[in-house]
């Protein structure tokens, strides 16, 4: 596996690969890799001739400074996992490389100061609990996409709202990139794999299974009862509230395409949730029908 730290070197390499007619697949990550990330690499390898992964813990998408500082960094293990998975190229830029003018700069060099406006979809759910998060995410993903210009981009359903917004971003920056959403990889007990799971102590880890259990509960309620969507949502919230140690930020049933509040059970529905357990913020979601 080739490792590039400089944008210019990666761009040159990708240009050459494209000239040779290779299809380029891209998997952006923040590292601390786990089987959920590796599943994206595996899928990418099936669809594309050249698999490019990036690891960059993007400071501008963390609204909570301590969350950023505590974000796990396991680079040497990540490199081992990626090589073993058959990843071709790893892009490992420094913060300086991505933000040469500093983080506070109003006009990031790469974006000529453009802030994206995604409308409501970026201001609800994660957007309302993590102000600025999608702004920071979109800036760095736009930057990475403009460098790699992949034919296909692979992202996880785990971050459902994020991949919807990236779909809009691709249109906004007019790239010819196909976005492929890959299913959430879970632990045996159902907990969605996440780099943050390593920060859970034993008690919190046990409790965390209730996140996916509650999503499954909502799904079963929709299937097996005639209850209205709002009632199922309330019952799911109540279920989560019953566990001491789980602090729910939101549990919402939304239209799967727009994330708007659904009017009918016949719409394509998704339940999305964010909770804090033992000081660790975890998100998950599940398609309900
Ligand atoms: P992150 O490193 O958390 O920014 O995630 C990088 C990519 O991996 C994103 O597209 C995530 O949605 C995806 N991802 C993270 N966890 C999982 C998982 N458990 N299953 C599938 N994809 C995941």
């Amino acid at each position: 596996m080739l490792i590039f730290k400089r944008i210019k070197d990666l761009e040159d390499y990708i240009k050459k690969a494209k000239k040779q007619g290779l299809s380029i697949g891209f998997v952006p990550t923040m590292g601390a890799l786990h089987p959920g990330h590796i599943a994206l690499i595996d899928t990418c390898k099936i669809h594309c001739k050249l698999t490019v992964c990036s690891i960059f813990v993007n400071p501008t998408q963390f609204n909570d400074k301590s969350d950023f500082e505590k974000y796990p960094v396991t680079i040497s293990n990540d490199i081992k996992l990626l090589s073993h998975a058959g990843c071709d190229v790893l892009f490992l830029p420094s913060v300086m490389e991505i933000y040469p003018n500093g983080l506070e700069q109003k006009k990031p060099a790469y974006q000529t100061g453009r802030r994206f406006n995604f409308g409501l979809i970026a201001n609800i759910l994660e957007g309302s609990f993590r102000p600025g998060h999608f702004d920071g995410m979109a800036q760095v993903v736009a930057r990475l996409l403009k460098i790699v210009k992949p034919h296909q981009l692979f992202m996880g359903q785990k971050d459902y709202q994020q991949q919807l917004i990236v779909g809009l971003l691709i249109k906004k920056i007019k790239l010819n990139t196909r976005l492929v959403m890959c299913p959430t990889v879970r632990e045996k007990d159902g907990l969605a794999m996440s780099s943050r799971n390593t920060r859970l102590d034993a008690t919190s880890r046990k409790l965390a299974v209730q996140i996916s259990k509650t999503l499954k509960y909502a799904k079963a309620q929709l299937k097996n009862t005639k209850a209205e969507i709002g009632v199922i949502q309330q019952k799911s919230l109540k279920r989560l509230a019953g566990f001491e140690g789980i602090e729910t930020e939101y549990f919402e049933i939304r239209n799967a395409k727009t994330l708007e509040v659904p009017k009918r059970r016949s719409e394509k529905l998704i339940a999305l949730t964010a909770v804090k357990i033992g000081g660790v913020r975890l998100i998950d979601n599940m398609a309900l029908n």
Side-chain angles (χ1 to χ4, degrees):
M1 180 173 72
L2 290 168
I3 301 179
F4 294 108
K5 295 192 170 181
R6 303 247 174 249
I7 292 169
K8 175 87 175 54
D9 296 340
L10 177 65
E11 276 176 339
D12 289 349
Y13 184 82
I14 288 186
K15 256 184 214 154
K16 275 187 207 143
K18 280 193 175 162
K19 265 194 191 143
Q20 288 167 18
L22 299 188
S23 55
I24 315 287
F26 183 40
V27 180
T29 80
M30 297 203 298
L33 302 182
H34 53 65
H37 296 114
I38 300 305
L40 300 183
I41 300 286
D42 293 342
T43 310
C44 183
K45 282 180 66 68
I46 293 169
H47 288 84
C48 302
K49 276 272 180 283
L50 191 85
T51 294
V52 180
C53 175
S54 66
I55 296 180
F56 181 64
V57 186
N58 175 30
T60 65
Q61 74 187 64
F62 285 83
N63 52 315
D64 177 347
K65 198 167 167 251
S66 90
D67 190 26
F68 173 61
E69 281 159 2
K70 286 185 196 156
Y71 202 83
V73 177
T74 58
I75 289 297
S76 55
N77 192 53
D78 293 349
I79 292 174
K80 267 189 220 150
L81 289 175
L82 288 172
S83 305
H84 189 251
C87 178
D88 301 298
V89 173
L90 170 60
F91 182 44
L92 202 54
S94 64
V95 172
M96 263 303 283
E97 186 73 4
I98 296 290
Y99 296 102
N101 298 321
L103 301 179
E104 301 302 327
Q105 195 77 11
K106 280 209 176 85
K107 291 191 173 189
Y110 56 84
Q111 258 299 305
T112 57
R114 190 165 147 200
R115 289 261 186 267
F116 301 103
N117 182 6
F118 299 106
L120 178 78
I121 200 165
N123 295 322
I124 54 173
L125 306 166
E126 285 302 285
S128 79
F129 280 89
R130 302 184 71 189
H133 166 65
F134 287 128
D135 226 10
M137 180 281 292
Q139 283 186 55
V140 83
V141 172
R143 172 62 163 156
L144 292 169
L145 285 176
K146 283 179 176 178
I147 296 165
V148 180
K149 295 193 186 72
H151 297 97
Q152 300 196 52
L153 171 68
F154 298 85
M155 300 194 88
Q157 179 182 334
K158 161 86 179 5
D159 299 272
Y160 190 78
Q161 193 175 2
Q162 167 174 279
Q163 62 81 37
L164 282 181
I165 292 171
V166 169
L168 299 175
L169 174 70
I170 288 171
K171 284 190 190 135
K172 273 187 194 285
I173 60 177
K174 299 189 171 71
L175 277 184
N176 202 4
T177 297
R178 185 171 88 104
L179 175 61
V180 180
M181 182 180 79
C182 303
T184 302
V185 177
R186 297 177 180 281
E187 301 286 356
K188 274 203 186 99
D189 65 0
L191 174 65
M193 289 192 180
S194 163
S195 308
R196 288 189 171 86
N197 292 353
T198 56
R199 288 175 47 210
L200 296 167
D201 62 24
T203 314
S204 303
R205 172 62 187 82
K206 256 194 180 162
L207 262 181
V209 70
Q210 297 305 334
I211 305 168
S212 62
K213 281 202 168 162
T214 308
L215 289 165
K216 280 183 205 152
Y217 167 83
K219 186 171 177 153
Q221 286 282 309
L222 191 77
K223 189 169 174 223
N224 303 326
T225 75
K226 291 202 159 64
E228 281 178 27
I229 296 167
V231 172
I232 298 174
Q233 191 172 294
Q234 282 311 314
K235 283 169 90 174
S236 305
L237 274 167
K238 204 168 157 202
R239 188 185 185 281
L240 277 174
F243 296 98
E244 201 183 321
I246 300 185
E247 184 195 320
T248 308
E249 286 191 350
Y250 63 81
F251 186 104
E252 297 272 339
I253 298 175
R254 294 292 172 109
N255 178 294
K257 266 196 184 149
T258 61
L259 294 188
E260 282 170 17
V261 176
K263 293 194 179 69
R264 279 173 289 276
R265 289 170 54 115
S266 57
E267 291 174 43
K268 199 95 197 96
L269 300 175
I270 187 158
L272 307 104
T273 186
V275 304
K276 274 189 182 154
I277 304 180
V280 182
R281 190 174 187 278
L282 301 171
I283 59 169
D284 199 357
N285 66 79
M286 198 171 280
L288 297 188
N289 51 7

